[in-house]
Amino acid sequence: MGRELSVVVWAKEGCHYCGEVKQYLEDKGIKYETIDVTHHDERRDILEVKYGVRYVPVVEIGQDELYEGVTKLGIEHLEKVLQKFSTSIISS
């Protein structure tokens, strides 16, 4: 049962906020996967079903069977969720 953090960034080409999120994760040394929704409305449909939004960036952070989606703009929201997961890693 790995405790590795899984991070997925839903993004699109030309999205300034998406770039900020990716840069933040890179600066922190956090590996992530990108799902590009550019020209893929079906991927936006998935976001709508999961989170009720069609915009990006959306960041999914997970570990084991638990995950949380960050849909609010602003690095502070991302940091808050990352802190929650890093605390659970330390306490395990």
Side-chain angles (χ1 to χ4, degrees):
M1 314 308 170
R3 299 296 297 166
E4 189 171 332
L5 196 62
S6 170
V7 179
V8 177
V9 179
W10 296 71
K12 71 175 186 171
E13 293 174 13
C15 170
H16 174 72
Y17 293 118
C18 301
E20 282 185 12
V21 166
K22 291 177 183 181
Q23 188 62 55
Y24 173 82
L25 293 171
E26 289 168 15
D27 290 348
K28 295 292 183 183
I30 299 170
K31 295 179 189 172
Y32 63 90
E33 175 187 345
T34 300
I35 298 177
D36 188 352
V37 303
T38 309
H39 311 298
H40 294 280
D41 280 346
E42 71 278 3
R43 294 178 184 167
R44 289 180 185 268
D45 294 342
I46 294 168
L47 288 176
E48 188 168 24
V49 168
K50 290 174 95 172
Y51 303 110
V53 301
R54 293 184 64 81
Y55 58 80
V56 290
V58 170
V59 182
E60 293 178 319
I61 302 167
Q63 191 173 57
D64 298 329
E65 299 87 34
L66 300 174
Y67 77 93
E68 186 169 338
V70 181
T71 60
K72 294 181 180 176
L73 291 181
I75 295 298
E76 66 274 10
H77 302 291
L78 177 59
E79 287 176 331
K80 191 175 185 180
V81 176
L82 283 170
Q83 181 63 40
K84 238 192 282 190
F85 279 96
S86 68
T87 300
S88 74
I89 293 170
I90 293 166
S91 65
S92 309

